[in-house]
Amino acid sequence: MLRRITVTAALSLMLAGTALADPIEGNWKTDSGAIAQIAASGGSFMITLRSGEHNGKRIGQMQPAGSGKYKGKITDPANDKTYSGNATLNGNSLAMQGCVAAIFCRTQNWKRQ
């Protein structure tokens, strides 16, 4: 009986985790018009282009920083340069920022698809 309860509880927690996906996950339209997919991967989020000239290219990895903010690395697919990155989620908008030395930054505003 105890084993059945334990198995039921474990299955419930697994299903609840799937249903409570992080709001950053999904498909986002970038400023260039390409679609970027953000998917969970072992405690962080991988960003992969799913359309456009650089389709299939992984362009970033972010970790949650709390309150709709994320920190990590972002790569410019045109020149393969990687920058420190920040993302801020606000409803169906995602402000993606890449910085060099935390001084020179560029921000794109992505829209949820």
Side-chain angles (χ1 to χ4, degrees):
M1 178 70 169
L2 182 58
R3 184 170 187 233
R4 180 178 283 170
I5 292 171
T6 303
V7 170
T8 302
L11 286 172
S12 296
L13 287 173
M14 287 177 18
L15 291 174
T18 302
L20 299 173
D22 196 283
I24 197 173
E25 289 183 88
N27 294 322
W28 297 87
K29 187 172 187 178
T30 68
D31 282 357
S32 70
I35 302 298
Q37 178 187 46
I38 301 178
S41 177
S44 63
F45 297 94
M46 302 305 264
I47 307 167
T48 306
L49 292 174
R50 293 298 179 203
S51 71
E53 180 181 349
H54 303 287
N55 185 21
K57 194 173 222 179
R58 181 170 289 157
I59 61 165
Q61 181 176 0
M62 296 280 170
Q63 291 78 32
S67 300
K69 297 186 183 294
Y70 300 82
K71 292 190 176 288
K73 301 282 183 191
I74 191 81
T75 300
D76 182 338
N79 62 20
D80 286 328
K81 290 187 178 181
T82 300
Y83 305 95
S84 62
N86 299 298
T88 303
L89 183 65
N90 185 8
N92 287 323
S93 295
L94 184 64
M96 293 292 292
Q97 184 179 63
C99 298
V100 175
I103 297 173
F104 303 104
C105 299
R106 190 174 99 194
T107 302
Q108 287 192 5
N109 295 298
W110 295 3
K111 300 293 180 201
R112 186 180 299 279
Q113 292 295 291

